[in-house]
Amino acid sequence: MGNIAGRVATGTWVVIGLVVVAVVCVLTGILPRADAGALGARIAPVLGFVVAITIVAELARDAAVFDVVAQRLARWGRGRVLLLWGLVIALAVVSTVFLSLDTTAVIVTPVVVVLAQSIGVPPIPFALATVWLANTASLALPVSNLTNLLAASQMGGPGTFFALSWAPTLVGILIPVAILTLVHRRTLFSAYEVPPPRRSADPVLFWSATGILVVLMPLLALTHDVWIPASVAALALIVLFAVRRRRALRLGLVPWQALALAGALFVIVETLHARGILDFLTSPIAGDAPGDLFRLAALGAASANAINNLPAYLVLEPAAGDPVALMALLIGVNLGPLITPWASLATLLWHNRITALGVEIRWGRFMMWGAIAAIPTVAVAVLALLLVA
């Protein structure tokens, strides 16, 4: 327990340090005022969406939406683990695509792990599926990942984005799932006893929250300014909980640490660009030749595993001169961070959740299988991008 507390304290101090550096950059003029204003205008809707969608996901969990869905999946599995596996994969993909990768890592992960434990099935394959798909399925829509939201503003809207992302996203889902299915085939080709059905404690809260999610998800796929429907949904859920369960409304619903980390990284990387420190990356890669796209995706994946996918995207964004190159970069920073624990915030959040549930993961083995999955996934996804572009 002390080790976990130490890790959390260390992470908090790192974020505080980055925030201090970012504030100094702004207040002292190291980041010019015009650049700071342009950066604020760009990232305000992005961070606003992060806050809104996090509140939506947390309150939906408090309304037992995800628990009830997991129970339904257990019944629909009809005692066959392989069928249940397919349903869990679908849940993780839908959650990631429409509600973002952090929702899958933080909320769906404990639901499917507890589900596996409750039916007597080893939870490791289900836990790995959620963290891999939280990253690899997050290429689908602008709302699926913070990096996508940054890129989408330069790609002409969700329609253009999806036209380039759908084929690489399929690759990002199919290859990791195929690897996990093969490796854990003994567990997955087995049977379990179907648990008895349970009802939610507050049906009004459950059905109202479910209805809000059902309306919200297609709007997130079709709307350019996704922070607007997400904010409306968050406000509707806040009002609903104020009436039905006021104690669930807490300041902890806002992801303060994630916001501080993202904001600080935005400012620091923008300062480096403004001061010319990253000028060697400001020349776009020449054209959409296969070699260029493969190099950009590989560089994105390597950088994400080295320094985390958000700063990796921010640093490399100037190297992507058009929408196709931007998508190649997103393939690297979204599908590639399966290897190191710090490659994406979602992986760190996922690890905290599974350890709290008593599931142990050896990082050496995690990194080995992550490399086995990430390398072919990124390579084939770039091939898929070439086919649709």
Side-chain angles (χ1 to χ4, degrees), residues 199-247:
R199 295 182 178 180
S200 60
D202 189 333
V204 173
L205 202 58
F206 166 75
W207 285 112
S208 299
T210 300
I212 290 171
L213 282 181
V214 169
V215 172
L216 174 63
M217 288 193 291
L219 291 177
L220 293 177
L222 299 173
T223 306
H224 183 269
D225 296 319
V226 292
W227 66 272
I228 297 175
S231 299
V232 172
L235 181 60
L237 282 170
I238 289 171
V239 172
L240 177 65
F241 271 82
V243 174
R244 303 291 300 184
R245 192 182 297 169
R246 185 181 297 270
R247 66 181 182 277

Side-chain angles (χ1 to χ4, degrees), residues 4-219:
I4 294 175
R7 286 198 299 271
V8 172
T10 300
T12 301
W13 280 113
V14 168
V15 172
I16 291 173
L18 291 172
V19 169
V20 170
V21 172
V23 170
V24 169
C25 289
V26 174
L27 294 182
T28 61
I30 299 175
L31 176 62
R33 182 172 298 179
D35 291 333
L39 176 65
R42 183 185 181 193
I43 69 173
V46 172
L47 297 181
F49 170 78
V50 171
V51 172
I53 202 65
T54 302
I55 292 173
V56 168
E58 291 285 351
L59 291 180
R61 177 182 61 180
D62 289 344
V65 173
F66 293 100
D67 290 333
V68 171
V69 168
Q71 294 164 16
R72 294 285 176 88
L73 296 185
R75 296 207 303 276
W76 293 342
R78 301 177 182 177
R80 290 176 287 176
V81 177
L82 188 62
L83 180 55
L84 178 62
W85 171 249
L87 294 169
V88 167
I89 295 300
L91 173 62
V93 169
V94 171
S95 169
T96 300
V97 169
F98 292 101
L99 300 177
S100 86
L101 73 168
D102 291 340
T103 296
T104 302
V106 174
I107 294 175
V108 175
T109 292
V111 169
V112 300
V113 166
V114 171
L115 169 62
Q117 292 171 331
S118 69
I119 61 176
V121 174
I124 290 294
F126 293 90
L128 287 175
T130 56
V131 71
W132 280 11
L133 290 172
N135 287 290
T136 62
S138 72
L139 188 66
L141 297 175
V143 299
S144 308
N145 198 322
L146 186 55
T147 55
N148 298 359
L149 286 171
L150 295 171
S153 61
Q154 305 179 53
M155 296 176 68
T160 302
F161 188 99
F162 185 70
L164 293 174
S165 71
W166 70 267
T169 300
L170 284 178
V171 172
I173 295 169
L174 294 176
I175 291 181
V177 169
I179 292 172
L180 287 174
T181 303
L182 181 63
V183 173
H184 297 281
R185 58 189 179 279
R186 290 186 178 179
T187 295
L188 299 179
F189 287 88
S190 62
Y192 65 92
E193 185 175 343
V194 179
R198 291 189 301 169
R199 295 182 178 180
S200 60
D202 189 333
V204 173
L205 202 58
F206 166 75
W207 285 112
S208 299
T210 300
I212 290 171
L213 282 181
V214 169
V215 172
L216 174 63
M217 288 193 291
L219 291 177

